[in-house]
Amino acid sequence: MNAQFKKGVLEMCVLSLLSKKDMYGYELTEQIGKEMAVTTGTLYIILKRLTDEGYFTTYLKESSDGPARKYYTLTEKGHHKQEELKKNWHQFVVSVNRLMEEVL
Amino acid sequence: MNAQFKKGVLEMCVLSLLSKKDMYGYELTEQIGKEMAVTTGTLYIILKRLTDEGYFTTYLKESSDGPARKYYTLTEKGHHKQEELKKNWHQFVVSVNRLMEEVL
DNA sequence: AATAACTATATTGTAATACTATATAGCTAG
DNA sequence: CTAGCTATATAGTATTACAATATAGTTATT
């Protein structure tokens, strides 16, 4: 998989998953990992950045089978960002496909 | 437009356009510019890199309305790279869409 | 209780690549 | 001859994913 394709998209995926329900970091890594290669390091950096930028709030919750988990909750700002990124993404895919399929 | 989405994709677009016919740098900028914002600086750096990596050969040709143009021709290696990137791109889009639409 | 395996969060340093700004210069029209 | 268009090119910066590594709680096995 081309690592460059992921630039910006991982952030969108995180926001998109969190728009459905609160999740913790490790869980996000596993969900996204089903579709593409991603390391925990990458995910935690994204989570830290987006938290700093006000897209999430967080809370700790104990786990029955392991250490406590930090859950992420989308803020209003986060929801808006998610919708904006999703819209941009779909437009982008259409543009790229048009460029590639086009017979000039 | 999210600049990050373009990472890796611009390279693929250049290869894809050149798989149809030889083009010169400025022409590529204009064609890609129809679908997304892109500066000449970015394009020429990509062209230089891909030339150095053996995906193109180049030749100069005089123009009737301006300075001489440097045309780019895909090599066999370039054609293979283009097909590979295109395949990866389509798979990537499917994966991302699945992640975003999924009800978990 | 000691150890290994699993779960979970986090940081540092590096690599890849797009953007901004700028430089250079040929050609054409007024 | 000058302005505007065409065309190629480079230097410095910013963003973001990856690899490697550190830390530590929990569970199961010996």
Side-chain angles (χ1 to χ4, degrees):
Chain A
M1 178 54 66
N2 189 330
Q4 296 303 319
F5 286 165
K6 293 180 203 162
K7 298 282 169 88
V9 172
L10 281 178
E11 177 181 309
M12 176 180 69
C13 290
V14 167
L15 287 162
S16 197
L17 288 171
L18 290 176
S19 74
K20 290 161 195 151
K21 65 166 185 179
D22 292 0
M23 295 175 80
Y24 56 97
Y26 200 77
E27 187 182 12
L28 283 164
T29 307
E30 286 183 322
Q31 288 297 336
I32 295 174
K34 286 179 186 171
E35 298 292 347
M36 66 188 82
V38 65
T39 65
T40 61
T42 300
L43 249 290
Y44 284 111
I45 284 170
I46 290 172
L47 291 170
K48 186 176 189 312
R49 185 173 73 234
L50 295 180
T51 303
D52 291 347
E53 289 170 352
Y55 296 122
F56 310 139
T57 55
T58 64
Y59 57 93
L60 278 177
K61 199 171 170 183
E62 281 174 40
S63 161
S64 57
D65 48 15
R69 296 159 171 171
K70 188 190 277 187
Y71 282 80
Y72 295 85
T73 309
L74 273 196
T75 59
E76 194 61 31
K77 187 180 174 188
H79 278 288
H80 285 137
K81 184 73 174 178
Q82 188 265 323
E83 284 163 14
E84 183 198 346
L85 279 174
K86 184 173 172 178
K87 197 183 296 175
N88 286 352
W89 168 249
H90 287 311
Q91 287 173 351
F92 181 71
V93 171
V94 167
S95 294
V96 172
N97 288 342
R98 199 153 46 204
L99 254 185
M100 290 202 303
E101 309 309 341
E102 200 171 338
V103 182
L104 299 168
Chain B
M1 177 56 64
N2 189 329
Q4 297 302 321
F5 285 166
K6 294 180 203 163
K7 298 279 169 91
V9 172
L10 280 178
E11 178 181 310
M12 176 180 68
C13 289
V14 167
L15 286 162
S16 197
L17 289 170
L18 289 176
S19 73
K20 289 160 194 152
K21 66 167 185 178
D22 291 1
M23 295 174 81
Y24 56 97
Y26 200 77
E27 187 182 12
L28 283 164
T29 307
E30 286 184 321
Q31 288 296 336
I32 294 174
K34 286 179 186 172
E35 298 293 346
M36 65 189 83
V38 65
T39 66
T40 61
T42 300
L43 247 291
Y44 285 110
I45 284 171
I46 290 173
L47 291 170
K48 186 176 189 313
R49 184 174 75 235
L50 295 179
T51 303
D52 291 346
E53 289 170 352
Y55 297 121
F56 310 140
T57 55
T58 64
Y59 57 92
L60 279 176
K61 199 171 167 182
E62 282 175 39
S63 160
S64 56
D65 49 13
R69 295 159 171 171
K70 188 189 277 187
Y71 281 81
Y72 294 85
T73 309
L74 274 195
T75 59
E76 193 62 29
K77 187 180 173 189
H79 278 288
H80 285 138
K81 183 73 174 178
Q82 187 265 321
E83 285 163 13
E84 184 198 346
L85 280 174
K86 184 173 172 178
K87 197 183 298 176
N88 286 352
W89 168 248
H90 287 311
Q91 287 173 351
F92 180 70
V93 170
V94 167
S95 294
V96 172
N97 288 342
R98 200 154 45 205
L99 254 185
M100 290 203 304
E101 309 310 341
E102 199 171 338
V103 183
L104 299 168

